[in-house]
Structures are given as structure tokens and as C-alpha cells.
Amino acid sequence: MLKENIKAIRKSKGLSQQELAVKLNVVRQTISKWEQGLSVPDSDMLVCLSEVFETPVSTLLGETVVETEVDSLKAIAEKLEVINLQLAQRKTTRKKAIRWLLGSLCALIVIMYAVLILINSPYLGWDYSDPETAVLGVAFHSFEWLFGRAAPPIFIAAVIGMCLTWKKE
């Protein structure tokens, strides 16, 4: 319903997709996607569309307008409030997931350090005359060396990331 309304109102106003795109500060392909139903404008863009078309948002959404203008503004405000609450909830959920992942990364680094300390580089006492043992020993040593240099900056970055996601909004 929205896609047909956008196209019909645009044509009735004598605007091309490019002209409408310029007025809304978007690319022409965005207007095309809206009119094809491949995407929908967000709440802010719906308000901008209604201003450009000089029509209420409820008309764009396909509702019949029987309310007074004050009531329709109130309904739009309520819908926008619901959308804003959903966006805030999504943002909070995303922050929690990032914080959890960063905390898990920190825990993994600490566990790996503990394991490396406990095993105390056993490959140093191996007999390297066997080529397979030599390759395995070099692989263990390379991992220890790389982990010892890469883990601290990664750990610090993860802790900083966790602190940044805990900031109050």
C-alpha cells in the first residue's frame, strides 16, 4: 500500500524519481526501491515525504483520514514513539551482545595465558632430531611468541571496548 501511495502521489505532484530524491537528499535508487516495495522509508523519512508531498503520513501509509489534524499528529507521535522505543531496545541489545563478546574474549585470553604458564613451554626439552617433532616444536614456539605479543593489546582494546559500551546514554 505504501509503495503505491508514494508512486501515485509523486506522479500527481508532477515529480520524477530524481526530483523527489533531490528534495529528500537521497539517491534515485532509494525512491525506486520504495516504489517497488523492496524497502520502506524509516520514520524520519516518512515525515520528510509527507512534508514534500504536503500530505499526512497516515495518507502515505494508506489510512483514511477521518481524524482532525491534531489527532492525526498525536497518532503519528505515538507511532514514532513506539518506533523510537524499538530502536532504543535494539541498540541496548546490540551493546549487551558486544559487551558479552568482548568479556568472553578477555576471559579466553586470560585462560590461554594460564594454560601457557602451566605447561611451561614443554617443547624446549624435546629431541629435535625427528623432523615432525621439530616442526611441532617450532609451531608451539611460534604460537607462544605470537600470542605473547598480540594478546596484551587485544586484551586492552577489549577492556576499553567493554568500558565504552557501559557508558550511560
Side-chain angles (χ1 to χ4, degrees), residues 95 99 159 161-169:
K95 276 188 171 184
R99 191 178 315 132
V159 169
M162 285 174 43
C163 291
L164 291 176
T165 59
W166 258 309
K167 278 187 176 178
K168 292 188 178 183
E169 299 168 4

PDB file of all heavy atoms in Angstrom, residues 95 99 159 161-169:
ATOM      1  N   LYS A  95      24.459  -3.485  22.268  1.00  0.00           N
ATOM      2  CA  LYS A  95      25.528  -3.138  23.201  1.00  0.00           C
ATOM      3  C   LYS A  95      25.811  -4.289  24.159  1.00  0.00           C
ATOM      4  O   LYS A  95      26.964  -4.594  24.449  1.00  0.00           O
ATOM      5  CB  LYS A  95      25.157  -1.895  24.014  1.00  0.00           C
ATOM      6  CG  LYS A  95      25.457  -0.606  23.330  1.00  0.00           C
ATOM      7  CD  LYS A  95      25.230   0.537  24.284  1.00  0.00           C
ATOM      8  CE  LYS A  95      25.721   1.830  23.716  1.00  0.00           C
ATOM      9  NZ  LYS A  95      25.600   2.928  24.664  1.00  0.00           N
ATOM     10  N   ARG A  99      29.314  -6.260  24.501  1.00  0.00           N
ATOM     11  CA  ARG A  99      29.964  -6.331  25.813  1.00  0.00           C
ATOM     12  C   ARG A  99      30.226  -7.779  26.200  1.00  0.00           C
ATOM     13  O   ARG A  99      31.299  -8.117  26.699  1.00  0.00           O
ATOM     14  CB  ARG A  99      29.067  -5.654  26.854  1.00  0.00           C
ATOM     15  CG  ARG A  99      29.748  -5.428  28.171  1.00  0.00           C
ATOM     16  CD  ARG A  99      28.855  -4.715  29.186  1.00  0.00           C
ATOM     17  NE  ARG A  99      28.152  -3.595  28.610  1.00  0.00           N
ATOM     18  CZ  ARG A  99      26.841  -3.381  28.758  1.00  0.00           C
ATOM     19  NH1 ARG A  99      26.114  -4.204  29.464  1.00  0.00           N
ATOM     20  NH2 ARG A  99      26.268  -2.337  28.201  1.00  0.00           N
ATOM     21  N   VAL A 159      38.991  -4.534  26.839  1.00  0.00           N
ATOM     22  CA  VAL A 159      38.582  -3.889  28.093  1.00  0.00           C
ATOM     23  C   VAL A 159      38.077  -2.473  27.819  1.00  0.00           C
ATOM     24  O   VAL A 159      37.046  -2.050  28.351  1.00  0.00           O
ATOM     25  CB  VAL A 159      39.750  -3.887  29.112  1.00  0.00           C
ATOM     26  CG1 VAL A 159      39.435  -3.007  30.301  1.00  0.00           C
ATOM     27  CG2 VAL A 159      40.056  -5.307  29.570  1.00  0.00           C
ATOM     28  N   GLY A 161      36.800  -1.403  25.018  1.00  0.00           N
ATOM     29  CA  GLY A 161      35.513  -1.578  24.342  1.00  0.00           C
ATOM     30  C   GLY A 161      34.394  -1.872  25.319  1.00  0.00           C
ATOM     31  O   GLY A 161      33.284  -1.350  25.191  1.00  0.00           O
ATOM     32  N   MET A 162      34.676  -2.714  26.323  1.00  0.00           N
ATOM     33  CA  MET A 162      33.657  -3.012  27.329  1.00  0.00           C
ATOM     34  C   MET A 162      33.305  -1.749  28.114  1.00  0.00           C
ATOM     35  O   MET A 162      32.134  -1.502  28.402  1.00  0.00           O
ATOM     36  CB  MET A 162      34.150  -4.117  28.272  1.00  0.00           C
ATOM     37  CG  MET A 162      34.127  -5.485  27.636  1.00  0.00           C
ATOM     38  SD  MET A 162      34.855  -6.806  28.642  1.00  0.00           S
ATOM     39  CE  MET A 162      34.244  -6.507  30.254  1.00  0.00           C
ATOM     40  N   CYS A 163      34.316  -0.962  28.468  1.00  0.00           N
ATOM     41  CA  CYS A 163      34.061   0.284  29.201  1.00  0.00           C
ATOM     42  C   CYS A 163      33.223   1.247  28.361  1.00  0.00           C
ATOM     43  O   CYS A 163      32.324   1.905  28.895  1.00  0.00           O
ATOM     44  CB  CYS A 163      35.378   0.941  29.605  1.00  0.00           C
ATOM     45  SG  CYS A 163      36.285   0.020  30.860  1.00  0.00           S
ATOM     46  N   LEU A 164      33.508   1.331  27.080  1.00  0.00           N
ATOM     47  CA  LEU A 164      32.747   2.234  26.216  1.00  0.00           C
ATOM     48  C   LEU A 164      31.295   1.791  26.052  1.00  0.00           C
ATOM     49  O   LEU A 164      30.408   2.630  25.911  1.00  0.00           O
ATOM     50  CB  LEU A 164      33.413   2.336  24.839  1.00  0.00           C
ATOM     51  CG  LEU A 164      34.761   3.060  24.810  1.00  0.00           C
ATOM     52  CD1 LEU A 164      35.356   2.995  23.415  1.00  0.00           C
ATOM     53  CD2 LEU A 164      34.612   4.504  25.267  1.00  0.00           C
ATOM     54  N   THR A 165      31.049   0.490  26.082  1.00  0.00           N
ATOM     55  CA  THR A 165      29.659   0.028  25.951  1.00  0.00           C
ATOM     56  C   THR A 165      28.894   0.174  27.260  1.00  0.00           C
ATOM     57  O   THR A 165      27.677   0.047  27.268  1.00  0.00           O
ATOM     58  CB  THR A 165      29.594  -1.432  25.474  1.00  0.00           C
ATOM     59  OG1 THR A 165      30.284  -2.269  26.389  1.00  0.00           O
ATOM     60  CG2 THR A 165      30.163  -1.579  24.089  1.00  0.00           C
ATOM     61  N   TRP A 166      29.595   0.427  28.353  1.00  0.00           N
ATOM     62  CA  TRP A 166      28.919   0.625  29.632  1.00  0.00           C
ATOM     63  C   TRP A 166      28.557   2.069  29.891  1.00  0.00           C
ATOM     64  O   TRP A 166      27.905   2.383  30.865  1.00  0.00           O
ATOM     65  CB  TRP A 166      29.776   0.127  30.786  1.00  0.00           C
ATOM     66  CG  TRP A 166      29.332  -1.206  31.303  1.00  0.00           C
ATOM     67  CD1 TRP A 166      28.085  -1.559  31.672  1.00  0.00           C
ATOM     68  CD2 TRP A 166      30.147  -2.350  31.507  1.00  0.00           C
ATOM     69  NE1 TRP A 166      28.052  -2.860  32.084  1.00  0.00           N
ATOM     70  CE2 TRP A 166      29.319  -3.379  31.992  1.00  0.00           C
ATOM     71  CE3 TRP A 166      31.473  -2.621  31.322  1.00  0.00           C
ATOM     72  CZ2 TRP A 166      29.788  -4.636  32.293  1.00  0.00           C
ATOM     73  CZ3 TRP A 166      31.938  -3.879  31.632  1.00  0.00           C
ATOM     74  CH2 TRP A 166      31.099  -4.867  32.122  1.00  0.00           C
ATOM     75  N   LYS A 167      28.983   2.973  29.013  1.00  0.00           N
ATOM     76  CA  LYS A 167      28.649   4.384  29.198  1.00  0.00           C
ATOM     77  C   LYS A 167      27.144   4.565  29.235  1.00  0.00           C
ATOM     78  O   LYS A 167      26.420   3.978  28.464  1.00  0.00           O
ATOM     79  CB  LYS A 167      29.235   5.237  28.079  1.00  0.00           C
ATOM     80  CG  LYS A 167      30.670   5.592  28.274  1.00  0.00           C
ATOM     81  CD  LYS A 167      31.081   6.582  27.200  1.00  0.00           C
ATOM     82  CE  LYS A 167      32.496   7.042  27.437  1.00  0.00           C
ATOM     83  NZ  LYS A 167      32.927   7.957  26.392  1.00  0.00           N
ATOM     84  N   LYS A 168      26.707   5.428  30.148  1.00  0.00           N
ATOM     85  CA  LYS A 168      25.276   5.710  30.212  1.00  0.00           C
ATOM     86  C   LYS A 168      24.885   6.636  29.087  1.00  0.00           C
ATOM     87  O   LYS A 168      25.628   7.493  28.662  1.00  0.00           O
ATOM     88  CB  LYS A 168      24.920   6.353  31.550  1.00  0.00           C
ATOM     89  CG  LYS A 168      25.069   5.392  32.701  1.00  0.00           C
ATOM     90  CD  LYS A 168      24.533   5.982  33.957  1.00  0.00           C
ATOM     91  CE  LYS A 168      24.651   4.960  35.071  1.00  0.00           C
ATOM     92  NZ  LYS A 168      24.088   5.427  36.312  1.00  0.00           N
ATOM     93  N   GLU A 169      23.662   6.444  28.607  1.00  0.00           N
ATOM     94  CA  GLU A 169      23.176   7.238  27.480  1.00  0.00           C
ATOM     95  C   GLU A 169      22.469   8.465  27.971  1.00  0.00           C
ATOM     96  O   GLU A 169      21.859   8.539  28.953  1.00  0.00           O
ATOM     97  CB  GLU A 169      22.235   6.389  26.632  1.00  0.00           C
ATOM     98  CG  GLU A 169      22.958   5.189  26.077  1.00  0.00           C
ATOM     99  CD  GLU A 169      22.013   4.164  25.485  1.00  0.00           C
ATOM    100  OE1 GLU A 169      20.804   4.410  25.427  1.00  0.00           O
ATOM    101  OE2 GLU A 169      22.497   3.114  25.082  1.00  0.00           O
TER     102      GLU A 169
END
